[in-house]
Amino acid sequence: MRPFAILLALASTIWLSEHWGTATVVEDFNHVERCKESLYMGTPPRGFKDSRLKKICQRYADKPRYVTLYDSKNRIPVYSAYTFKKTEELDGNGNMMPFPTGYLHMKFEDSQAVLDDYSDVVLYERGHLNPDQHQSDPQDRAATYTLTNVVPEIREFNIGPWREHEERIRVRLNNFCRGRAYIVTGVTTTGNMIRRNNQDRVGIPEDVWSAYCCTEYDRNAPHNIRIRFPTQAALAKNAKEGNRVQELTVQDLERYLTNKMAVDKNFQLFYDNCNSPSPLPPYLNYVK
């Protein structure tokens, strides 16, 4: 297995693990090489107030893969946004790749999590906001194994309700999304931290949330499926108990997050609420 990146350097671009993985901090996502195609209509979620949050284009094998908005104070992602790729069911072992354990320069610790932050923590597992089971290409899957895509999730929540939710969405989009599906998955925090060496190191999420947008879907699907298109959202507590995943509309999720995150009144996860672009007038259809 080829090694790949687990690091974020909060500078311009850092090449890691024999040039296979990079985390590129960018000013915006307005270009294909800045991961624009990971976002519905090339537009990221809007309304985040904190200008210190870092926009990251996650790259692997010299190709843009997905985007992350990263909180270097709490050393966790606020969200990762990616395109869903149709996949087959994983085997019993999850067919997941291990995180590499190579040398990590101490200078990165000021602004990001490192593997040592998770090594002696028994309550939490590394939860991927962009999960590898939502990707089909081996390199797309490998790109999810970076600590800039990871938050600490309570073990019972990670392997139980949230994993079941990710699988439920995988099956739904596989079977009924006919075009490209865009997913944004993120967290809220309340100040609780993983500590190491008597220092606050990694923010612990209170909530984990997710939303998808698929404008081209099977209009002949059963009613209980059709009502979950073109958008649907999910919300759950990152807890050992009381962690049931609730499905809700994207607008209801946005209203909830407005009271839980530093966002303004224009907060919106998907451009124009994931409404399909207007078709061309008939007299323009022939224009190439």
Side-chain angles (χ1 to χ4, degrees):
M1 180 184 301
R2 296 185 180 94
F4 49 91
I6 64 168
L7 310 176
L8 162 67
L10 296 180
S12 55
T13 301
I14 291 292
W15 289 90
L16 303 166
S17 301
E18 298 178 337
H19 299 280
W20 275 92
T22 64
T24 306
V25 177
V26 295
E27 292 185 6
D28 54 53
F29 301 118
N30 293 339
H31 192 276
V32 171
E33 289 303 308
R34 297 177 187 170
C35 297
K36 177 180 180 178
E37 292 186 348
S38 301
L39 302 163
Y40 175 66
M41 301 296 287
T43 304
R46 72 182 188 192
F48 288 91
K49 292 180 178 179
D50 192 345
S51 60
R52 296 172 300 176
L53 299 176
K54 305 297 181 180
K55 299 179 180 69
I56 298 173
C57 175
Q58 303 276 14
R59 300 175 64 87
Y60 189 83
D62 202 29
K63 291 184 178 180
R65 304 291 174 174
Y66 62 99
V67 309
T68 298
L69 188 67
Y70 192 80
D71 181 348
S72 57
K73 179 180 179 181
N74 285 318
R75 301 182 180 89
I76 57 171
V78 177
Y79 70 73
S80 285
Y82 59 96
T83 55
F84 173 84
K85 313 296 193 310
K86 290 185 182 293
T87 59
E88 300 298 327
E89 185 174 4
L90 299 181
D91 60 31
N93 293 323
N95 204 21
M96 296 173 71
M97 302 178 181
F99 275 82
T101 57
Y103 172 75
L104 175 64
H105 198 287
M106 294 296 289
K107 70 179 181 180
F108 296 123
E109 289 191 289
D110 289 342
S111 55
Q112 69 174 72
V114 296
L115 284 174
D116 284 350
D117 294 323
Y118 290 88
S119 61
D120 296 321
V121 182
V122 296
L123 292 177
Y124 302 99
E125 293 204 346
R126 296 183 294 259
H128 295 196
L129 298 189
N130 176 3
D132 72 339
Q133 62 264 43
H134 284 187
Q135 305 297 329
S136 58
D137 179 83
Q139 293 183 352
D140 284 337
R141 295 180 63 199
T144 69
Y145 284 80
T146 164
L147 289 179
T148 53
N149 179 49
V150 161
V151 299
E153 291 180 357
I154 295 286
R155 184 176 189 275
E156 290 82 357
F157 170 69
N158 176 272
I159 67 174
W162 196 250
R163 181 174 295 178
E164 293 166 5
H165 165 73
E166 291 173 336
E167 174 63 10
R168 184 162 54 248
I169 297 305
R170 185 191 71 81
V171 172
R172 184 183 302 168
L173 296 179
N174 261 359
N175 292 339
F176 300 105
C177 182
R178 297 293 179 253
R180 178 175 290 187
Y182 301 85
I183 300 181
V184 183
T185 300
V187 298
T188 70
T189 58
T190 56
N192 294 326
M193 303 286 286
I194 289 177
R195 292 177 61 83
R196 179 167 62 87
N197 297 333
N198 295 317
Q199 294 182 336
D200 287 341
R201 285 294 304 162
V202 181
I204 301 170
E206 178 186 28
D207 302 299
V208 182
W209 53 266
S210 186
Y212 64 77
C213 164
C214 170
T215 59
E216 299 176 43
Y217 58 93
D218 185 357
R219 263 66 175 181
N220 295 316
H223 176 72
N224 67 326
I225 297 294
R226 290 200 312 274
I227 61 175
R228 290 172 169 81
F229 284 93
T231 64
Q232 185 75 343
L235 175 68
K237 293 293 182 185
N238 181 32
K240 188 173 182 179
E241 298 177 346
N243 55 16
R244 182 178 66 88
V245 178
Q246 173 190 0
E247 289 205 33
L248 66 169
T249 68
V250 171
Q251 287 72 31
D252 284 344
L253 175 63
E254 290 170 343
R255 280 190 284 271
Y256 177 83
L257 295 179
T258 298
N259 296 316
K260 303 287 286 187
M261 304 177 74
V263 296
D264 61 29
K265 63 180 181 180
N266 296 315
F267 178 59
Q268 189 175 71
L269 291 176
F270 297 113
Y271 175 82
D272 197 23
N273 293 317
C274 186
N275 288 319
S276 300
S278 300
L280 287 173
Y283 62 86
L284 289 180
N285 283 340
Y286 67 91
V287 179
K288 301 296 183 182

